[in-house]
Each structure stands twice: as structure tokens, then as C-alpha cells.
Amino acid sequence: MHIVVRESDEEVGRYAADVIAQIVRRGGATIGLATGSSPMSTYAELIRLHKEEGLSFADTQAFTLDEYVGLAPDHEQSYHKTIRDAIVDHIDLPLSHLNTPNGVAENLVAEAERHESNIRKAGGVDVQLLGIGNNGHIGFNEPSSSLASRTRVESLTQSTIDANARFFENPDDVPRLCITQGLGTIMECGVALLVAQGESKADAIAAMVEGPVTASCPASVLQFHPHAIVVVDEAAASKLKDRAYYDLAQANRERLIANGGTL
Ligand code: F6R
């Protein structure tokens, strides 16, 4: 894993957006988008790169990680609507290139399989942006998810329901089920790019990077990913034991990149 520690949320966003922009600029990219608070600074920077520096997403395809079951795509808190508000409606990615599972599909199992097979048909995800839950989930793969799981209907833990209640008027309105890309699905992406900010993520980040690979911390499966980049602020990095080594390794990588290497 590449561990990149930055001083502020804004700098986390700038670093992550630069990784995505490099892949988008190659043309015909497929990007994986996450919802929640963590990717917001990355989206803000991607929007700036689009508006001020001509970064175009016109030939990019996008897939979201997950969707709440029971919320129609135009519901204020659906992940389809959230991702449109956060980034898609502010860049030139055609709406027809945005692929989200439909949380009100009649056959949810078939809908999950459709999302999975559309990712495969698109040739896989080149770069997948990820946040991490306080309990170590990525996508909505809660602790106990199979490390080989595929896109499926899943139950949210009480901890995730509580964490996401802030987006709803009434905590009882938080859906209990979701469709999520599986850990096996996520692991097939070219670059796994996880961003996290704040003290509340410090335990999950330490468990993911320095703990055992275990379904109890689903994000730890990324230790098996050949190209995982973890971009965190100081607070989210605060429980990492081997911090000095990560800083040294990142400084060396930046030197190699400055000398013409690629990320
Ligand atoms: C959202 C998702 C989740 C979030 C995670 C962190 O699409 O897949 O894994 O990334 O719950 O959420 P925030 O960023 O709101 O702390």
C-alpha cells in the first residue's frame, strides 16, 4: 500500500484528484465513484480541474459503489442523486455514462448482478475512489463480508445506520438494506484510491494498514491489492505505528515521479 499523509482535507482531495485526473487524461477511462463525506474534497478539486484546466470526462464511464435499497434515483438521499450533486452535474460526464444500481428495482438480486456485469462489460474500473467506514467497511461491505464477495444486496450494520443518520431528517428513515459492489469486485480495479479524514477514522485506518487481513475489517483486503493508495490527513493517520517509514517511502516515490516515473 502507498500511504500518503497530507496536512488538510483540501490537500487530501488535491492528491487524490491528481491520481484520478492522470488516468482520465489517458482517455476512455472507467472511474469508480464513492459517496459520503470523504470524497468531497476530491470531487471539489476534480470540478476545479474541469472548469479551470480543461479536464474532460466526456469519454469517461463512471460506476458507483453502492445504493440504498428503497430510495428511487431521484430521492434526495439516494446515492444516484448524491453523486450527481457532488460531481456529475458539475463536469462534462454524460449522464448516460453514470452507472448506479437502482435501489427500487423490482428484482434487486438481478439488479445487483446487472451492475456487476456492466462493470465487466466496460472492461473493469481503472481507478476506484473509496471511503472507509468507522467499522472498516468499504462500499457497504460490512464486517463479516466475504473477502471474495461480488455485487449483491446486503444489510447495513447498526453502526453504519447510526453514522449515516446525519443525512436524513429522521434516523428511522435510513434504509436498512443496500446494493453494494463486493470486495472481490472492488479488488479487480486497476488502482484502489482510499481517502479518509479525521480522528474518527484513525482506528479503521490503522486496522486496515497494519492489522491482519480479515473480514472483521473488510478494507484490510486492500493489502492484497497490487496498487492501493491510501490518502489520509494527520488526524486519520494518528494511530499508524509505522508512520516514519510511510513518509520516507512517499518522499522516495515523489522523487522517482519527479525524475519521470509514473505513480
Ligand atoms: C459510500 C461508501 C461508504 C463510505 C463510508 C465512509 O459510497 O461506499 O463506504 O465511503 O461509509 O463514509 P463517509 O465518507 O461519509 O465518512
Side-chain angles (χ1 to χ4, degrees), residues 83-154:
I83 208 69
R84 285 189 61 176
D85 291 347
I87 177 162
V88 174
D89 288 354
H90 309 282
I91 57 177
D92 60 345
L93 185 113
L95 200 49
S96 60
H97 291 195
L98 172 64
N99 299 274
T100 58
N102 178 0
V104 291
E106 218 167 280
N107 184 338
L108 293 166
V109 172
E111 180 60 14
E113 282 165 7
R114 189 186 67 85
H115 196 58
E116 172 93 18
S117 102
N118 284 347
I119 294 172
R120 205 170 306 123
K121 280 186 209 144
V125 169
D126 297 308
V127 56
Q128 175 65 60
L129 185 59
L130 298 162
I132 186 170
N134 300 344
N135 63 2
H137 74 212
I138 51 174
F140 275 140
N141 294 281
E142 302 285 33
S144 82
S145 292
S146 160
L147 300 183
S149 51
R150 312 305 306 188
T151 306
R152 67 200 185 286
V153 180
E154 200 41 279

Side-chain angles (χ1 to χ4, degrees), residues 1 130-133 135-138 141-147 183 186-187 192 194 203-226 228 230:
M1 281 183 178
L130 298 162
I132 186 170
N135 63 2
H137 74 212
I138 51 174
N141 294 281
E142 302 285 33
S144 82
S145 292
S146 160
L147 300 183
L183 293 171
I186 293 169
M187 285 294 283
L194 187 142
D203 284 322
I205 290 294
M208 170 183 77
V209 176
E210 295 176 340
V213 175
T214 164
S216 302
C217 176
S220 65
V221 74
L222 295 175
Q223 291 180 27
F224 279 128
H225 197 285
V230 177

Side-chain angles (χ1 to χ4, degrees), residues 47-68:
I47 293 166
R48 192 196 68 75
L49 288 172
H50 168 67
K51 295 203 160 133
E52 295 176 16
E53 296 184 23
L55 177 67
S56 175
F57 296 82
D59 66 353
T60 301
Q61 294 285 334
F63 286 85
T64 54
L65 275 172
D66 39 25
E67 180 58 282
Y68 288 120

Side-chain angles (χ1 to χ4, degrees), residues 227-245:
H227 200 162
I229 306 176
V230 177
V231 194
V232 289
D233 68 2
E234 289 287 349
S238 61
K239 293 194 176 160
L240 288 170
K241 293 201 184 79
D242 232 349
R243 173 68 191 278
Y245 172 71

Side-chain angles (χ1 to χ4, degrees), residues 34-39 65-66 79 131-133 137-140 166-167 201:
T35 47
S37 314
S38 313
L65 275 172
D66 39 25
Y79 280 177
I132 186 170
H137 74 212
I138 51 174
F140 275 140
R166 69 190 192 279
F167 296 114
K201 298 292 170 72

